Amino acid sequence: MTTSHEALPVNLLGMPRAGLEALFAQWGERPFRAVQIMKWLHHRGVDDFAVMTDLSRVLRARLAAETVVRMPEVVHEHVSADGTRKWLMDLEDGQRIEVVFIPEKDRGTLCVSSQVGCALDCSFCATGKQGFNRNLTAAEIVGQVRQAARRLEGVITDRERAITNIVLMGMGEPLLNYDAVVAAMDVLLDDLGYGISKRRLTLSTAGIAPAIRKLADVTDVALAISLHAPDDALRDQLVPVNRRYPIAELLDAVKVYLQRLGDWRAVTIEYTLIDGVNDSIEQAEALAVLLEELRERSKINLIPFNPFPGSGYRRPSESRVRAFQTHLLERGYATMLRTTRGDDIDAACGQLAGNFEDRTRRRERYIARLKDHGVITHQAV
Ligand code: SAH
């Protein structure tokens, strides 16, 4: 299901500690070298092996010959009136992705991308409109965080407000790039990497049910489900992958993941409110009924639709949004309203489009592969 674009030589930024240890073992080096090199790469942000003087000269030479340290380069930085920053980053093959940093009072959230474009084509999402181009490598996912941290040095000096939270809510569907995303999360969670706590690292998915079950075997990071509709008929329209994994199957997979989270942690249910489409009180009630079994174990996150040119949808009025939220609160659901940040720079949810053209043939090949694997059906694309 995943493709590797990791060209040789290997990019060390995407290698989890265990992978580095295996590499060094193969080279006849002590496993402890992994600890040293990770500190250089991720804590000190050093790119040049020559500087890593606690490694032997021989090892430094071999690293320089057989590995690289490369991260996406910033081509544009937009700073919003509210302090949100959006970076357009260039990848080695000229593809572009967007990364957003959202500073808040007591934390800083980085929204990273997992693919260039997206194949799922959710009807209200700007990324989907651009089509799918390719998966990111683990190094490119970690590289977004490393590059963002470098850009924020000296800008955000307060530790509390630097990158404390990471959400895989940028471009792409993380669970359709499973291996690279799992490897990247490993580095982000590792104390020798970025030391992000599992409660502050969120994977957001449109609902690839089998991949959610699989994920439960390897990690317990926070999970967000992009639900957006209380019934299959509507969800089929908004999130076409629902035709492959309908709501009941998705919620079954969520229950498996909840077991992994233990008794106290909840999943986030994301619901983008679109005027006249999914924002009526009847639909709020249908959602309450649908989620009944999960009530104690979920937090509902309402996101008023962020418009983009040609979407054909509108954001509901504030009173409609409030009424929807109030209904869910009255039905006993923890329901948050996500305030839109950075919309003056098109950095809000679902507005990340990057600046790339769809290499249509690649998209077709990728979609054909997903079909081969039964991940999406014809109608879904
Ligand atoms: N593919 C993943 C992650 C990317 S989208 C997923 O579907 O979860 C991150 C969140 O933004 C999702 O909940 C998505 O549905 C929402 N979103 C997309 N477009 C939006 C828009 N125009 N307005 C508001 N939210 C949007």
Side-chain angles (χ1 to χ4, degrees), residues 97 163 207 216-217 245 320:
I97 48 170
I163 302 170
D217 290 333
Y245 307 116
R320 263 179 98 85

Side-chain angles (χ1 to χ4, degrees), residues 93 127 139 151 231 340 381:
D93 59 354
T127 307
R151 300 291 296 202
D231 60 77
T340 294
V381 294

